[in-house]
Amino acid sequence: MTTRYEVRDGVAILTLDNPPVNGLSYALRVAFAEALDKANADAAVKAVVVTGAGKAFSGGADIKEFGSPKAAAEPNLLSLIRACELSSKPVVAAIHSVAMGGGLELALGCHYRVTAPGANIALPEVKLGLIPGAGGTQRLPRVIGVEAALNIIVSGEPVKSEFIASFPGQKLFDKVIEGDLMAGAIAFALERADVRPLPLVRDMKVGHPEADAYFKFALNTVTAMAKNFPAPRKCVEAVQNATRMKFDDGMKAEREIFMNLMFTPECVSLRHLFIAERAASKIPDVPEDTKPRDIKKVGVIGAGTMGGGIAMNFLNAGVPVIVLEMKQEAIDKGFGVIRKNYEAQVAKKKLKQEKLDERMGMLTSTLDYAALADCDLIIEAVFEEIGVKEKVFQALDAVAKPGAILASNTSTLDVNKIASFTKRPQDVVGMHFFSPANVMKLLEVVRGEKTAKDVLATVMAISKKIKKVAVVSGVCDGFIGNRMIEQYGRQGGFLLEEGCTPQQVDKAIEKFGFAMGPFRMGDLAGNDIGWAIRKRRYVEKPNLRYSKTADLLCEMGRFGQKVGKGWYDYQAGKRDAIPNAEVEAMIAKHRETLGVTPRKISDDEIVHRLVFSLVNEAAHILEEGIANKASDIDIVYIYGYGFPVYRGGPMNYANQVGLFNVAQMMKKFQQNPLDDAKFWEPAPLIKKLVAEGKSFV
Ligand code: NAI
């Protein structure tokens, strides 16, 4: 039963019970309505208490019903809330923990609310590109005031119940109950059993002494912050409606705004990503109940750029880390960087000094492989050379305990080959972190041919613990993300050859929403890294044409921000990219060498060549089974490559443009003699989907 019913001391207790967070599914709503009727019909019942089983009061809408007709089927949430308001007996919401979205809206429809301290209260709809749709924008301002309510609604962030309870004059909580919440809630309900009229939030007054000025200010602030998202501005509008419309009119307006937002591309993208992120951890042939291995201690080989960041992830999650290096100096240097990172967080008041000490206390080092014998997971982050990896994995094979997971952070090397350096390829896996590894949320989990299922399950579970979003990739050059970015980079180079400046390309794609264009990105990452990769890669693929401009740039010593010059110039201590005449001259000269007359290229062409190059390569990746599903690719690009969130990732964007149109544009790009006609042949998967009138799923 999704809503349990029992009577205790003359009080009916309705317990929402739909794990994991008591999502307000159709079944739950039906059961709730029946239970409420039963309570009202029972003469022995004097009052009703609504509570949630397990770890939540209610997390709101049931995500399994997203987009299905069941989500709105009667009794819908609005009807349920109305039923609570109309109950002839007092209804008390007893909130012991999470009350979010529809869960909070349901509580706001009850006559009273009592809470335990520490409960998370939120209206997170804005994070899905929506506003609260069941009265949240109308009722919350009535109980905690306009400003506090708008902050909660526009941020979507949870706030602790005891903090809200401390607001002067707040009416969200009638009582904060320390100790046994249910006993307290029953006592409270009995106390109010005979009080009439029953208080309704809808009848409470709401206003702001400087309403016009305040809402103007709020709208300006939100507009500046929300840029490409319509929902936050609509939150302001809806809350303002609460101050100037009658309750029912405000509700009607809220509903209209909610429905209009639902079908905006931004909302569709955000909802897609919400589901995609949850789906990413599911691997088709790895059963969900696969038992993960225990990870109590982690070893990291190499204390360089990546090793240090990787170690921090585990320390932050309370997992002890031992780092192995070749020399003590390398350890001192690496640990110095880790400490500095933590100290910067302490200076910004994001971390307490005790936490810094605690984390550094969990970090140890060694120069001797034998010290890794008790590690459950060992992640290698040494130089990107197969010979070095071979030595490291042989050494690990000799000392690691049976069942220990041996992972490589390689970004370009063959994980199957690395696995073959050991006698336990089933325990070897790629864990490809992104730089800076302590910040970037993406983790590509590279599944070798022999990687065991429980190794994958373990790595997916531990990635959650260290707050990463993990996506599984098969073995291929560049895995999912870098294999696609190679095509994007090639297009960037061709655009320069055909007539663009680096800033024109960067500006166009940044206007599309990318955090950074390809040339600013190259300067940040270091142009020499790509140079080294190209030297290796294009020896192996002599027929794959690419623009030599990036090599010429490196020959000029313009490696990027670290040397103060790359595609752009940089002033010390600043990140502003200043166009450079020598770079433009180099590009112009290169065009002359190729015999190319530059042409004016539209922003639209720039954006679509860059983005659809990602899409076409991604379609091949899907066909080859390197990625399990299109939404995984979107997650990789959102969390690892700064793809605009409101466009939902390259595959979602292609779906929104329509695959027929995408294929047409690819065919047009094929006609460009300066581009790569072979590459632009739409991938067979795209052709198939177009023929079937379908999208990527
Ligand atoms: P790095 O040069 O900053 O650090 C490598 C560290 O490994 C150095 O401190 C070195 O002393 C140590 N080392 C080398 N050989 C060793 C050995 N045999 N035993 C113990 N320690 C040894 O390199 P970085 O950038 O941290 O890269 C490490 C790995 O991570 C490479 O495989 C790289 O491809 C990969 N990677 C790098 C990314 C980046 O953006 N830098 C992103 C993703 C992966």
Side-chain angles (χ1 to χ4, degrees):
M1 202 57 175
T2 45
T3 300
R4 284 191 268 123
Y5 182 86
E6 72 176 293
V7 179
R8 233 190 275 169
D9 304 331
V11 175
I13 301 167
L14 275 53
T15 306
L16 310 177
D17 190 5
N18 180 23
V21 293
N22 304 325
L24 303 170
S25 64
Y26 172 69
L28 182 144
R29 300 194 305 268
V30 170
F32 183 93
E34 280 171 13
L36 190 59
D37 281 348
K38 192 166 163 187
N40 273 306
D42 184 346
V45 167
K46 298 193 207 68
V48 180
V49 169
V50 181
T51 188
K55 61 182 182 184
F57 174 77
S58 169
D62 190 333
I63 58 168
K64 291 190 255 0
E65 283 183 2
F66 261 24
S68 87
K70 272 191 168 175
E74 289 282 8
N76 62 28
L77 181 54
L78 287 166
S79 318
L80 225 52
I81 291 171
R82 194 69 190 127
C84 289
E85 286 183 326
L86 294 174
S87 163
S88 56
K89 297 171 186 176
V91 182
V92 182
I95 299 170
H96 66 297
S97 71
V98 177
M100 289 196 185
L104 180 59
E105 289 174 308
L106 178 64
L108 283 164
C110 297
H111 302 116
Y112 303 101
R113 286 151 300 279
V114 298
T115 184
N120 279 325
I121 306 300
L123 288 173
E125 289 79 357
V126 73
K127 294 190 171 178
L128 295 180
L130 293 165
I131 65 167
T137 66
Q138 304 305 296
R139 288 192 178 89
L140 195 61
R142 286 177 156 80
V143 291
I144 61 170
V146 164
E147 292 193 22
L150 186 56
N151 285 344
I152 288 178
I153 293 168
V154 124
S155 72
E157 290 296 322
V159 181
K160 293 283 175 206
S161 53
E162 72 274 19
F163 179 60
I164 298 182
S166 72
F167 299 169
Q170 67 81 26
K171 299 190 197 81
L172 178 56
F173 298 119
D174 297 279
K175 195 167 184 184
V176 177
I177 296 173
E178 310 264 352
D180 187 340
L181 177 69
M182 192 39 73
I186 292 172
F188 178 90
L190 289 173
E191 229 175 81
R192 306 288 166 111
D194 299 323
V195 177
R196 295 290 181 281
L198 290 164
L200 294 179
V201 173
R202 60 161 60 223
D203 295 335
M204 294 177 188
K205 294 235 167 327
V206 57
H208 191 288
E210 304 285 347
D212 285 351
Y214 170 71
F215 282 110
K216 204 167 163 199
F217 162 78
L219 196 62
N220 286 342
T221 315
V222 165
T223 305
M225 283 168 65
K227 280 194 198 105
N228 299 302
F229 295 93
R233 291 194 297 277
K234 292 291 175 188
C235 292
V236 179
E237 185 183 323
V239 172
Q240 188 170 18
N241 288 343
T243 65
R244 55 185 183 188
M245 289 183 182
K246 289 201 187 103
F247 180 83
D248 285 325
D249 294 339
M251 287 294 288
K252 221 187 270 164
E254 178 192 85
R255 196 80 212 142
E256 242 166 60
I257 296 174
F258 180 89
M259 293 313 287
N260 287 338
L261 282 172
M262 187 69 120
F263 299 102
T264 57
E266 294 82 2
C267 178
V268 172
S269 298
L270 288 172
R271 285 187 288 133
H272 163 71
L273 290 176
F274 182 83
I275 293 167
E277 191 172 328
R278 277 147 191 82
S281 60
K282 300 190 172 63
I283 313 168
D285 63 334
V286 177
E288 279 192 49
D289 57 0
T290 306
K291 194 174 172 307
R293 300 184 189 178
D294 231 7
I295 306 292
K296 291 211 183 74
K297 187 172 177 190
V298 170
V300 174
I301 319 285
T305 312
M306 296 305 287
I310 293 169
M312 285 178 77
N313 288 319
F314 290 96
L315 297 174
N316 298 350
V319 182
V321 176
I322 179 164
V323 177
L324 180 141
E325 258 288 353
M326 294 187 293
K327 292 198 177 115
Q328 186 59 39
E329 297 89 85
I331 291 180
D332 295 342
K333 192 170 159 217
F335 282 21
V337 175
I338 295 179
R339 179 173 283 280
K340 248 196 179 155
N341 277 333
Y342 282 138
E343 280 170 355
Q345 290 179 23
V346 172
K348 285 188 206 149
K349 297 207 181 337
K350 287 188 176 158
L351 188 74
K352 295 218 169 87
Q353 180 66 39
E354 305 92 82
K355 280 275 170 202
L356 180 155
D357 297 337
E358 190 187 306
R359 289 178 189 177
M360 290 307 288
M362 283 191 301
L363 179 64
T364 52
S365 67
T366 182
L367 302 174
D368 180 5
Y369 275 89
L372 303 176
D374 63 344
C375 289
D376 305 295
L377 164 67
I378 305 173
I379 305 171
E380 162 279 311
V382 302
F383 301 138
E384 186 74 341
E385 283 167 35
I386 195 76
V388 183
K389 308 275 188 203
E390 179 170 11
K391 287 206 185 88
V392 168
F393 275 82
Q394 279 170 353
L396 287 179
D397 198 19
V399 300
K401 67 180 180 186
I405 296 175
L406 309 181
S408 172
N409 182 47
T410 182
S411 35
T412 54
L413 300 172
D414 181 343
V415 172
N416 290 327
K417 185 135 197 219
I418 293 177
S420 76
F421 299 143
T422 72
K423 286 187 233 50
R424 41 175 122 182
Q426 74 282 0
D427 295 334
V428 177
V429 67
M431 286 178 80
H432 183 216
F433 289 84
F434 287 69
S435 180
N438 53 316
V439 177
M440 296 292 287
K441 283 198 72 166
L442 179 64
L443 177 66
E444 273 183 331
V445 175
V446 186
R447 176 179 193 168
E449 268 164 26
K450 298 196 174 140
T451 307
K453 290 185 181 178
D454 67 335
V455 167
L456 286 171
T458 309
V459 173
M460 298 314 271
I462 195 86
S463 68
K464 258 189 206 148
K465 185 161 182 183
I466 61 171
K467 302 204 164 71
K468 300 287 172 199
V469 183
V471 169
V472 175
S473 169
V475 175
C476 69
D477 190 3
F479 314 130
I480 297 174
N482 283 343
R483 175 168 158 186
M484 286 163 63
I485 209 76
E486 185 189 358
Q487 299 303 336
Y488 172 94
R490 284 177 76 224
Q491 284 301 316
F494 294 154
L495 286 163
L496 296 187
E497 289 184 350
E498 291 169 37
C500 288
T501 59
Q503 57 271 27
Q504 190 194 348
V505 175
D506 282 349
K507 273 205 182 123
I509 198 79
E510 285 164 17
K511 210 165 115 204
F512 174 79
F514 264 83
M516 230 182 255
F519 300 108
R520 285 215 293 142
M521 189 62 167
D523 280 356
L524 181 71
N527 297 311
D528 51 325
I529 294 178
W531 196 24
I533 294 175
R534 283 194 299 279
K535 279 181 192 163
R536 193 172 51 229
R537 179 170 289 156
Y538 292 102
V539 169
E540 290 159 15
K541 302 182 196 166
N543 297 329
L544 195 63
R545 197 173 76 75
Y546 73 97
S547 167
K548 297 283 188 300
T549 43
D551 296 350
L552 296 171
L553 185 84
C554 289
E555 285 170 21
M556 293 162 80
R558 301 189 69 100
F559 293 157
Q561 280 191 26
K562 59 185 165 190
V563 294
K565 55 184 188 172
W567 293 104
Y568 302 92
D569 286 334
Y570 298 88
Q571 286 167 350
K574 288 193 181 162
R575 298 226 148 176
D576 301 324
I578 307 160
N580 172 276
E582 274 176 41
V583 172
E584 279 167 31
M586 174 273 285
I587 297 169
K589 187 154 169 261
H590 181 62
R591 279 186 205 123
E592 274 172 35
T593 327
L594 297 175
V596 172
T597 312
R599 71 179 166 100
K600 199 170 160 8
I601 300 176
S602 69
D603 283 2
D604 199 61
E605 179 176 339
I606 295 172
V607 165
H608 286 127
R609 280 173 66 178
L610 291 175
V611 175
F612 294 151
S613 70
L614 295 175
V615 172
N616 210 24
E617 192 63 27
H620 290 297
I621 285 174
L622 274 174
E623 272 159 9
E624 292 167 25
I626 298 291
N628 290 322
K629 46 196 176 297
S631 65
D632 283 357
I633 294 170
D634 286 335
I635 291 293
V636 167
Y637 264 73
I638 293 289
Y639 286 115
Y641 294 83
F643 198 95
V645 171
Y646 64 97
R647 298 200 191 269
M651 312 310 266
N652 181 69
Y653 177 70
N655 283 346
Q656 289 187 342
V657 171
L659 292 190
F660 175 84
N661 298 326
V662 171
Q664 289 296 310
M665 277 193 251
M666 289 179 179
K667 283 180 200 155
K668 188 174 161 216
F669 299 149
Q670 260 189 320
Q671 309 301 316
N672 176 357
L674 296 174
D675 203 325
D676 179 347
K678 192 159 168 263
F679 169 75
W680 280 122
E681 180 65 22
L685 175 63
I686 295 182
K687 287 187 193 163
K688 179 172 167 275
L689 292 173
V690 170
E692 292 168 358
K694 290 187 183 156
S695 303
F696 292 119
V697 282

